[in-house]
Every structure is written in C-alpha cells, then in structure tokens.
Amino acid sequence: MTAADILRVHNGNGPGFDALRLLLAVWVFTLHAMFICDGAEAAEAFAADPIHKLLVKPVLPIFFIVSGYLVAGSAIRTRAVSTFLLFRILRIAPALIVEVTLCALVLGPWLSEKGLSEYFSDPLFFRYFQNILGNAQFSLPGLFLHNPVPDAVNLNLWTLKPEFFCYLFMALMMASTAAFSRKYCTLIALLSLGLTGIYVLRGGQLYNFLAVADWKILIVSFVVGCCAFHWNDSLVMSPGNAVAAFAVAIGALSYEPLVIFSLLALTYLVIYLGTRKIYLPRILQSGDYSYGVYLFGFPIQQTLVYFLPAEYQHGWVILLFGLPLTVVFAMLSWKLVEKPALRLKNLIRRDAASVPPLRKILKLE
C-alpha cells in the first residue's frame, strides 16, 4: 500500500504520528538526562562517540520532517492562510504561554537566589516572556546558577524560532498557491537540498560541537517533509523499504556530505512509522502528550538536579524520576490547556466556511 492508501483507510490521519512524536520527545528527554548532571563537557564527550552521535544528530531533523509532513496536510485541508495560522497558534501558543508563565512566576521565585523584589525587577524576568514569541531566552534571575548546566531554564525553547519561521514559510506558500502544487513543492525541496549540499561541500557545518542540528538543516527538513506529503500516492510503504532506508540513514549520518541522502531516508522512515500503528501503554493513548513532554521536560530535569544530593545526581536517576513527572505535567497540559484550545478549531472552521475564498474575492475565478 502507498502512504495515501493508508491515510485514506484511517480517514486522513496517520495512525502512528502521535506516538512517533511522543517517542521523539522522550528521545530528547533521555539525551538531556545523559548530560544534565555533568554539564557541557560531558555532553561534548557523549557526542564525540560515533555511536552516541548517531543518537543525537537525527532527532531534531526528524521532528521537523514530521512537522513539515503534517503541516502540509493541514495547509492543503484548510486552504485559507488565516485559518491555517490560527490553527497553528491554537496548537502552539496556549501550552507555551502556560509553561513560560509557570517558570517565570512559580519556579523562578521559588528557587531563585535573589529576593522577590530584586527578582521581579530584573530585566531578565521581563525578557523571559519573549519566549512566547519565539525569541529564545534561557535565563531567569538567580535561577539554577550552580547547576552543572548553569543559568538555563529551558534549552528546548530554541527550536521555536525555526518552527515559527517554517509556519510563516508555509503561509507564504499558501498565499502564492505553491503549497498546493506538487511540482512547485518538489522544485523548492530540490533547491533546498541542492543548496544544502553545496553549503556542506564548501565547508559549512549543519551540526554543532554537541552534534545538535542547527536551524538551517531543521528548515530544510521541514521543506522535505512538506514535499513528501505531495508524493503520498507514490510512496509504497513496505518493511523492506524501511530497512533499506534505515541502513542509508545510518550510513549517511556518519558522513556529513551525504546529508541529502540522510534526509531523504529519514523522511521515508518518518512516513513509514507514521502510517503504522505504534503500540503505547493505554495510559498514553488518550491524548497527544508529545508537546507537553518537550516543553516541560528540561525545567523539570533542572529542578531535580537542583534538589538531588550530589551522590544521586546521575542521568539514570533523572530519567527514572523525571520522565514520569514530566508525563504527568504533559497530561495536565493536554487535558487542561491544549485540548480545550483545540476545540476552538470547530468554531474557526464554521467562520471560515462563511467567508468566500480569496480567489473569488480577488475575482481570479
């Protein structure tokens, strides 16, 4: 069966995408747990190992491939730029506002080394709310200054800026109607991959010293994911192809000039897994908890490190106690914030249905 066949059987939804995103968020949490008790030098040593590097390099590009693939589907279904952007805001903003506010107004005052008046008058406190707009701010006044990863509340938030840029890119593509054309999306993806290849061959770096992908490869990953959605009817999903794609991805990730092949292989794997039914424990099947795990994971890890005695500051301890606690926060975020906000989509759909399409307003048809 092709990816399109499987999506049709499941009413347009890939049965494994929610589980895949949750597993990716847990993957990030686990990687952070391996260095958060020992600091940047330990993270660099971890990433220097070739096997460990293969665990670090693909995770964020895979996140953005998934995002590009699903966002392209959303864009094609909604058609209207305003509706698309409102849907993105409803998915991203409510939980982000809650997480940033809790860190600034609860976690910070609770654990800061500064007094309350000094804390709330510090410019860092006010700047921290810029995270809501995608301008990453990692520090709050006097918080986590002596942790092994010092002065950092939530390092995960840096990916919001490229994610917001990708949404803007898709909105512009929709406005030009290129987002609805397989030909134009393919040309843009090929151009992006070609420029990426040239950039690497000329000595450009797509990963930092910790083997973490930078914003350039994340955006290209998003574009490739968008393009892949247009080729659903040609992508045959088979275990043999998935094994071959996995082998290509492993080989290409080990040699950066082959980055184009790694992205294409990872894209096939993403779609293959997203169109499979991935088993999760029953307790995790009642909601989409991936975003909450990603948002709340790092602050919870830093808080555990802050409280743990030195002899218990170990990655496995952080993983054992931090991951269940993070999942609880993610569940609360889903049930109390994200799911109620997403219900507003139905209202927006009804309002959008009463507005003539832009092409008719402009008398293009």
Side-chain angles (χ1 to χ4, degrees):
M1 297 178 73
T2 66
D5 294 331
I6 297 170
L7 293 178
R8 275 193 290 271
V9 169
H10 293 88
N11 298 317
N13 298 312
F17 279 109
D18 285 349
L20 176 59
R21 287 186 297 190
L22 179 59
L23 293 173
L24 287 169
V26 171
W27 186 353
V28 171
F29 186 97
T30 303
L31 290 172
H32 285 164
M34 295 301 103
F35 77 84
I36 201 164
C37 294
D38 301 306
E41 289 185 5
E44 187 174 0
F46 181 87
D49 182 281
I51 301 299
H52 292 165
K53 187 175 290 187
L54 289 175
L55 294 174
V56 179
K57 289 179 72 173
V59 60
L60 290 180
I62 291 175
F63 252 126
F64 275 71
I65 291 169
V66 173
S67 178
Y69 185 84
L70 296 179
V71 165
S74 174
I76 290 169
R77 287 191 298 272
T78 58
R79 309 295 290 187
V81 175
S82 58
T83 304
F84 167 79
L85 290 175
L86 283 172
F87 282 6
R88 291 295 90 207
I89 291 170
L90 285 176
R91 184 66 191 97
I92 298 298
L96 177 61
I97 292 170
V98 169
E99 189 276 334
V100 169
T101 302
L102 285 176
C103 285
L105 297 183
V106 179
L107 187 63
W110 177 31
L111 300 181
S112 176
E113 296 181 11
K114 295 192 174 187
L116 289 180
S117 60
E118 189 179 4
Y119 174 88
F120 285 113
S121 62
D122 194 302
L124 282 178
F125 167 75
F126 297 101
R127 283 205 296 269
Y128 195 77
F129 288 93
Q130 294 179 23
N131 283 308
I132 295 170
L133 301 176
N135 185 17
Q137 305 291 320
F138 300 129
S139 302
L140 279 169
L143 188 58
F144 302 138
L145 297 182
H146 304 293
N147 277 24
V149 180
D151 203 24
V153 181
N154 194 349
L155 293 182
N156 288 343
L157 297 183
W158 79 268
T159 60
L160 289 173
K161 193 168 188 176
E163 183 83 1
F164 290 171
F165 179 87
C166 289
Y167 296 159
L168 176 61
F169 165 79
M170 178 55 72
L172 293 174
M173 290 274 288
M174 292 174 68
S176 68
T177 71
F180 313 121
S181 165
R182 174 190 285 190
K183 177 177 72 174
Y184 288 126
C185 282
T186 303
L187 287 173
I188 292 169
L190 290 175
L191 177 63
S192 301
L193 289 170
L195 291 174
T196 301
I198 292 170
Y199 176 78
V200 171
L201 291 173
R202 290 175 62 87
Q205 298 296 315
L206 296 174
Y207 302 89
N208 66 15
F209 68 101
L210 300 177
V212 176
D214 77 356
W215 63 270
K216 292 183 285 295
I217 191 172
L218 299 185
I219 291 171
V220 174
S221 300
F222 181 90
V223 172
V224 173
C226 291
C227 175
F229 188 86
H230 283 275
W231 288 91
N232 274 333
D233 57 351
S234 301
L235 293 173
V236 177
M237 299 288 103
S238 74
N241 289 347
V243 170
F246 181 79
V248 170
I250 293 298
L253 283 167
S254 302
Y255 186 53
E256 198 158 317
L258 298 178
V259 60
I260 293 174
F261 298 99
S262 69
L263 287 178
L264 293 175
L266 289 173
T267 300
Y268 183 89
L269 285 172
V270 160
I271 300 170
Y272 178 80
L273 292 172
T275 52
R276 307 295 102 182
K277 196 151 190 178
I278 300 175
Y279 172 78
L280 287 175
R282 185 178 298 275
I283 193 173
L284 298 177
Q285 295 177 12
S286 58
D288 182 2
Y289 305 130
S290 57
Y291 187 43
V293 170
Y294 191 78
L295 275 184
F296 290 97
F298 201 88
I300 288 173
Q301 288 177 317
Q302 283 285 64
T303 303
L304 286 174
V305 173
Y306 178 90
F307 280 112
L308 281 173
E311 60 269 28
Y312 293 106
Q313 288 187 4
H314 192 280
W316 294 110
V317 176
I318 298 297
L319 192 59
L320 179 64
F321 292 98
L323 185 55
L325 184 59
T326 300
V327 170
V328 169
F329 269 79
M331 288 179 168
L332 291 173
S333 174
W334 172 256
K335 294 183 186 301
L336 301 179
V337 181
E338 297 167 61
K339 189 176 180 181
L342 290 175
R343 290 196 188 106
L344 296 175
K345 280 187 173 183
N346 293 327
L347 179 62
I348 294 171
R349 286 192 184 99
R350 287 197 295 270
D351 290 343
S354 64
V355 178
L358 179 61
R359 294 179 63 83
K360 286 189 176 181
I361 294 174
L362 298 178
K363 299 182 180 180
L364 296 176
E365 58 180 31

